[in-house]
C-alpha cells in the first residue's frame, strides 16, 4: 500500500529503537501506555492493551517497576510492547538487540517475532549480526544501498546453535 499521501502520524508504522527510548520517570505500564494516553484512548482500553502487551512480551507482574529496575532484555521487551500496543501494520526496528548479549538477543528477537505474528504485523529489522538475522523468516542483504541477496536464512539444527 502506498502511504506517500498519508500524513506520517496517520501511517500504521511504528519504530523500535536500539537505545530503548524509555521514559525513566514512568513505570513499565505507563511507558507502554504512553502513546495510547496521548491519543486520548479510554482508560479501560489502555489498561486492557497494556495487560495484553505485558503478557505477550512475558513481563506480567513488572508493570509497576521503573526502567532502571529492569535488565537490558526486559527494557527491550518494554520497547517492543510500547511499539506494538498500537497494533501497527509495520514495525521498523533499528538494531533492536545491539546492546544485548547473544543469549538475551536471541530471546528478545523470539519475543519480537512471536508478538509481531500475534498481532498480524510485519517487521523490518536492521541488523549487522548474522546470528540475529538467521532467526528471521527472510533475510535481505544490502551493500551500498542495493539488494545483493534475498533468501531464507540457513538454519542450523537447534542442537547445533550457539547461544
Amino acid at each position: 500500500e502506498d502511504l506517500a499521501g498519508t500524513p506520517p502520524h496517520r501511517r500504521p508504522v511504528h519504530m523500535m529503537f536500539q537505545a530503548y527510548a524509555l521514559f525513566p520517570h514512568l513505570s513499565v505500564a505507563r511507558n507502554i501506555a504512553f502513546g495510547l494516553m496521548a491519543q486520548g484512548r479510554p482508560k479501560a482500553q489502555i489498561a486492557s492493551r497494556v495487560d495484553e502487551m505485558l503478557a505477550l512480551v512475558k513481563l506480567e507482574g513488572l508493570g509497576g517497576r521503573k526502567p532502571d529496575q529492569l535488565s537490558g532484555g526486559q527494557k527491550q521487551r518494554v520497547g517492543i510492547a510500547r511499539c506494538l500496543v498500537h497494533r501497527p501494520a509495520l514495525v521498523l526496528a533499528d538494531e533492536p538487540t545491539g546492546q544485548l548479549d547473544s543469549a538475551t538477543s536471541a530471546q528478545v528477537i523470539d519475543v519480537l517475532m512471536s508478538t509481531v505474528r500475534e498481532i498480524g504485523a510485519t517487521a523490518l529489522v536492521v541488523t549487522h549480526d548474522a546470528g540475529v538475522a538467521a532467526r528471521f523468516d527472510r533475510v535481505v542483504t544490502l551493500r551500498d544501498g542495493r539488494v545483493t541477496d534475498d533468501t531464507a536464512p540457513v538454519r542450523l539444527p537447534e542442537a547445533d546453535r550457539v547461544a
Side-chain angles (χ1 to χ4, degrees):
E1 180 180 351
D2 184 353
L3 297 175
T6 306
H9 68 283
R10 297 251 186 251
R11 295 175 188 170
V13 177
H14 284 268
M15 180 79 186
M16 190 176 135
F17 298 95
Q18 176 180 0
Y20 314 131
L22 302 180
F23 298 111
H25 63 290
L26 297 181
S27 68
V28 165
R30 289 190 56 96
N31 262 284
I32 295 169
F34 184 81
L36 297 175
M37 291 171 20
Q39 292 174 344
R41 300 283 178 95
K43 287 182 182 182
Q45 181 188 46
I46 293 170
S48 174
R49 294 284 272 294
V50 168
D51 288 345
E52 176 189 5
M53 286 295 114
L54 286 169
L56 283 173
V57 298
K58 300 173 178 48
L59 291 176
E60 301 99 323
L62 300 182
R65 290 192 185 178
K66 297 280 176 81
D68 66 352
Q69 297 173 305
L70 303 175
S71 70
Q74 290 170 326
K75 289 176 187 175
Q76 197 59 297
R77 287 187 278 159
V78 173
I80 292 168
R82 189 173 62 189
C83 176
L84 298 179
V85 74
H86 299 278
R87 298 191 169 281
L90 177 63
V91 174
L92 303 175
D94 178 24
E95 292 280 358
T97 61
Q99 298 183 39
L100 306 174
D101 62 73
S102 61
T104 305
S105 174
Q107 291 170 353
V108 166
I109 290 299
D110 289 346
V111 168
L112 172 63
M113 296 316 295
S114 66
T115 307
V116 163
R117 284 185 188 107
E118 180 76 24
I119 69 163
T122 297
L124 176 64
V125 179
V126 174
T127 184
H128 296 92
D129 184 330
V132 169
R135 302 189 80 78
F136 294 104
D137 300 328
R138 180 175 172 195
V139 177
V140 176
T141 305
L142 300 174
R143 182 176 300 282
D144 298 324
R146 298 189 189 281
V147 173
T148 60
D149 190 26
D150 182 357
T151 61
V154 175
R155 289 201 166 70
L156 297 173
E158 198 64 38
D160 293 338
R161 288 189 187 169
V162 176

